[in-house]
Amino acid sequence: MKIRLLAGLVASCCAAPVLAQSNITIYGLVDAGLHVSSNGEGTRTKLVSGIADGSRLGFKGTEDLGGGYKTIFNLEARLEIDNGTNQAGNISDNEGFALSRGMNFIPVLSAATMPTVRAGVAAAVAQRAQAAGATAAQAAAAGAAYVASATGMADVANRTAAAVAPTGAALLAGSQRALREAGKIKIVNFSGALFDRTSMVGMITPVGAVLAGRMYTPGYEVLAGADTFETGTAGSWGGITSGPAGLLTAGIAIRSSKALQYRIQLPSGISAALMYGFKNSGYIELDKRFYAANVMYKANGFNVGVGYNNGQDQYGNSGLISTVIGGSYETGPFKFFAGYLKQKNENSVVVPLLTSLTWDAGIAPTLASQPAALQAALRNSYVNTLKQNFKLDADSYSVGMHYKIGNGRIMGSVSRQNDKTAFNNDATQYAIGYDHNLSKRTDIYTVLAYIKNENNAQYAPGAASAGGGFTSAGGESGKAFQVGMRHRF
């Protein structure tokens, strides 16, 4: 059977459908509103861009080459309506305590300092023995015997602890300070790219489409279809699919740069996608390699699929791996959503980046007078702690529904993040909202969301264009009310 591509093929890889004609279209979306939150530090009200949908300006076009062949392109720039820039960070200003959790330089400093302290204590004992009339050999033996005894070892340990305590405290304080500043990084469009949302060129053929550039990942397409709040507002499922809240790392790669993708769609509604990312691929362009695929079915009220993303860190180690299954089913005024996301990340690409920005740039210069071996050991301790804190092993679930009423729809969902690491930082998110169409292009919306954090989880409600960030303390609940307007052109 001859395979043919439908318009939905292009729509699924671009923010808006590419028109089947030889022309260029300028399109966009502007979205902004009020975000009122209470994350343990009192009520805060902010003007936020892109609450329900990220604001954007795009250019797209096609050229019909005949014989079932078409060239297509899509360039889409991010816009932050509140300040006119193209980068975004966390909405909350609170500190993420998980960043420096377990950080302790005392063991490394003690290991480097103890031999010197031990030698000093032994020399002092020997000196006293020699002053009391012992020979040099007898005095040396007395010193060695003392530091080998239980009393002597305790003495050496206490002296070592006292000697390294100021340096250890200073390094910890400096690390925490550096990580606090790093927590303010605008990780959304970290590189400041002009066409961060999409920059793609490709060709549609009778047997599929081949696309190249920066695009949505196959796994994320499935996740987006299973999200009741359509990846936007404080109710979005993605608000709790990450490390212990706002940890500069997501549970699934949204886009990948330097990617090559093959897509196919059958008349039956079945579609599939394969993606390969070269060096500097992935969401923040740090993956050494990136692989992804999905299979979806869109027909008869169903929009369901299964997706898989697999990224490598800068050194080729296994990085963020995401497996997602889910979608929606629409019947009459109802639309039901359900999804499952498995997240695993043993080697986050953020760790080397964060190490470079914090330790190498700010802390290492203060240790320039120390021996090279000690400098290396302290850096390794820092990196290993970050690796542990950025590890991700979680299962996430979400269910929800829409109910159409007049020109609007009521939305509600419940999502759960089950942290399977030893930290057990679970979270449950409840959200309800209403979206009202003023016209075909303009709608207004309001959303109320509540996140129940457990143990040291610090998830705070966010928006489409920015992460929520952190609550004021581990286990503190996050709450948000949003009202905004969205216009498409």
Side-chain angles (χ1 to χ4, degrees), residues 6-381:
L6 305 179
L9 170 65
V10 180
S12 63
C13 8
C14 307
V18 173
L19 303 179
Q21 56 187 16
S22 298
N23 68 355
I24 296 176
T25 301
I26 300 175
Y27 68 93
L29 184 151
V30 285
D31 181 317
L34 294 178
H35 177 94
V36 184
S37 63
S38 177
N39 296 316
E41 78 284 37
T43 302
R44 299 285 188 271
T45 302
K46 294 187 176 183
L47 178 66
V48 175
S49 173
I51 293 179
D53 251 327
S55 298
R56 68 201 70 166
L57 177 64
F59 307 86
K60 58 186 179 177
T62 67
E63 182 182 11
D64 193 339
L65 303 177
Y69 291 84
K70 294 180 182 179
T71 58
I72 61 173
F73 79 90
N74 189 197
L75 302 172
E76 190 171 286
R78 181 182 306 277
L79 298 174
E80 299 302 316
I81 298 303
D82 55 333
N83 56 24
T85 66
N86 67 344
Q87 292 179 300
N90 288 331
I91 297 175
S92 166
D93 298 322
N94 291 322
E95 178 182 353
F97 297 108
L99 287 168
S100 58
R101 177 183 54 207
M103 196 162 285
N104 182 9
F105 299 101
I106 296 298
V108 173
L109 292 168
S110 296
T113 306
M114 187 171 285
T116 302
V117 173
R118 182 183 293 111
V121 170
V125 170
Q127 186 178 18
R128 289 196 297 270
Q130 201 166 9
T135 65
Q138 291 172 332
Y146 177 75
V147 296
S149 69
T151 301
M153 287 189 288
D155 185 16
V156 170
N158 290 335
R159 290 173 183 269
T160 300
V164 303
T167 303
L171 280 173
L172 178 59
S175 300
Q176 291 172 332
R177 183 167 54 251
L179 289 170
R180 276 197 298 272
E181 291 303 310
K184 301 175 184 177
I185 292 175
K186 293 185 176 182
I187 201 69
V188 178
N189 193 14
F190 176 75
S191 65
L194 176 59
F195 296 109
D196 163 67
R197 291 184 59 89
T198 302
S199 55
M200 175 274 291
V201 66
M203 178 172 290
I204 297 176
T205 79
V207 292
V210 179
L211 314 172
R214 179 172 173 83
M215 297 164 279
Y216 287 103
T217 65
Y220 183 73
E221 287 184 69
V222 177
L223 181 81
D227 189 339
T228 305
F229 284 84
E230 300 165 341
T231 72
T233 76
S236 172
W237 180 17
I240 59 170
T241 55
S242 65
L247 206 53
L248 305 179
T249 183
I252 190 167
I254 300 173
R255 301 175 178 86
S256 178
S257 294
K258 296 189 179 296
L260 188 65
Q261 183 174 193
Y262 171 75
R263 302 180 67 90
I264 192 167
Q265 184 162 324
L266 305 179
S268 62
I270 297 174
S271 65
L274 292 172
M275 177 179 282
Y276 175 78
F278 297 85
K279 185 178 180 181
N280 297 326
S281 55
Y283 184 63
I284 56 176
E285 303 174 355
L286 292 175
D287 288 26
K288 185 174 182 179
R289 294 288 185 272
F290 183 84
Y291 311 88
N294 73 27
V295 176
M296 302 183 71
Y297 175 72
K298 298 180 181 180
N300 302 314
F302 289 96
N303 180 358
V304 295
V306 57
Y308 177 77
N309 288 356
N310 187 327
Q312 297 178 350
D313 73 1
Q314 295 92 325
Y315 311 108
N317 301 311
S318 177
L320 176 59
I321 300 175
S322 309
T323 305
V324 58
I325 182 170
S328 65
Y329 173 69
E330 187 169 8
T331 176
F334 293 96
K335 189 173 184 179
F336 301 96
F337 296 80
Y340 163 76
L341 172 66
K342 182 175 181 59
Q343 310 143 71
K344 187 84 170 180
N345 194 348
E346 293 289 333
N347 301 283
S348 173
V349 295
V350 176
V351 172
L353 171 64
L354 202 56
T355 301
S356 175
L357 294 174
T358 56
W359 185 272
D360 296 341
I363 301 172
T366 68
L367 301 171
S369 62
Q370 300 295 328
L374 177 58
Q375 293 184 50
L378 289 169
R379 187 181 188 277
N380 286 339
S381 175

Side-chain angles (χ1 to χ4, degrees), residues 228-229 333-337 400-413 431-436 446-447:
T228 305
F229 284 84
F334 293 96
K335 189 173 184 179
F336 301 96
F337 296 80
M401 63 173 288
H402 292 175
Y403 179 73
K404 293 180 182 178
I405 179 170
N407 289 331
R409 53 182 179 164
I410 299 171
M411 305 167 287
S413 70
I432 188 168
Y434 176 70
D435 181 28
H436 185 81
T446 184
V447 172

